[in-house]
Amino acid sequence: MIMDIEALLAEGKSIRIHPQGYSMYPLFVPGRDEAVIAPAAEKELKRGDVVLYRREGSILVLHRIWRRTREGFFMVGDNQKETEGPLKREQIKGILCQVIRKGKCFSVNNLFYRLFSAVWLMLRPLRPVLSKTAAGVKKVFRG
């Protein structure tokens, strides 16, 4: 199946996937949300874009571009503090173009999404504290 994903993107087709794990929480909740990924071959990639890439000799990962340098791309999950990289441009297979949440679709060009992405990237150093605080608030309200 993984080879099919890369082949479809290489052919210029978009795909829908169900992201696994919590590295991109709160953007993606496993079992609830889907990601629509478009080919990244001709796209100009920039800070804040969510991309599907292959780790060197390993798995496909969906994370956000933290920064781009001469050495390559540095990635970070929305629920992570540590960055990964540098990655080569060839490792990037696709770019997030839409999110499907509870059957409703929204574009990454949506103003609310762009604002969320920008703020969330700025808050990267504070994410562990924010996650613990949010979990505590949820616990209080759930009883």
Side-chain angles (χ1 to χ4, degrees):
M1 175 147 169
I2 291 173
M3 292 306 289
D4 291 343
I5 289 172
E6 290 182 73
L8 289 168
L9 289 168
E11 291 173 9
K13 297 177 181 165
S14 294
I15 60 165
R16 284 173 58 163
I17 60 172
H18 293 270
Q20 303 297 309
Y22 284 90
S23 68
M24 285 301 290
Y25 180 83
L27 179 59
F28 292 110
V29 174
R32 181 189 75 185
D33 303 325
E34 290 180 85
V36 179
I37 309 293
E42 303 300 320
K43 305 274 188 205
E44 179 62 35
L45 302 175
K46 61 192 176 309
R47 176 181 166 88
D49 286 340
V50 175
V51 296
L52 182 70
Y53 63 93
R54 179 164 298 281
R55 286 185 174 147
E56 196 72 38
S58 186
I59 63 171
L60 287 169
V61 178
L62 189 67
H63 279 170
R64 195 175 296 279
I65 297 174
W66 167 246
R67 68 185 161 107
R68 181 180 187 176
T69 68
R70 288 183 190 153
E71 291 80 34
F73 294 88
F74 291 81
M75 310 296 189
V76 65
D78 281 358
N79 196 27
Q80 298 176 323
K81 183 180 168 191
E82 301 300 319
T83 60
E84 174 182 1
L87 281 85
K88 299 176 201 127
R89 176 63 173 92
E90 304 81 54
Q91 290 176 260
I92 299 173
K93 308 301 179 184
I95 184 169
L96 180 70
C97 59
Q98 295 177 331
V99 175
I100 302 170
R101 176 166 298 142
K102 298 181 181 176
K104 295 184 180 175
C105 185
F106 64 89
S107 168
V108 297
N109 296 321
N110 174 294
L111 181 60
F112 176 76
Y113 173 84
R114 298 306 290 174
L115 288 171
F116 165 80
S117 295
V119 169
W120 199 243
L121 273 174
M122 286 188 294
L123 294 174
R124 184 180 68 91
L126 301 173
R127 288 180 189 170
V129 173
L130 294 172
S131 292
K132 286 180 184 176
T133 303
V137 169
K138 282 182 184 177
K139 190 176 181 179
V140 167
F141 283 106
R142 287 186 181 164

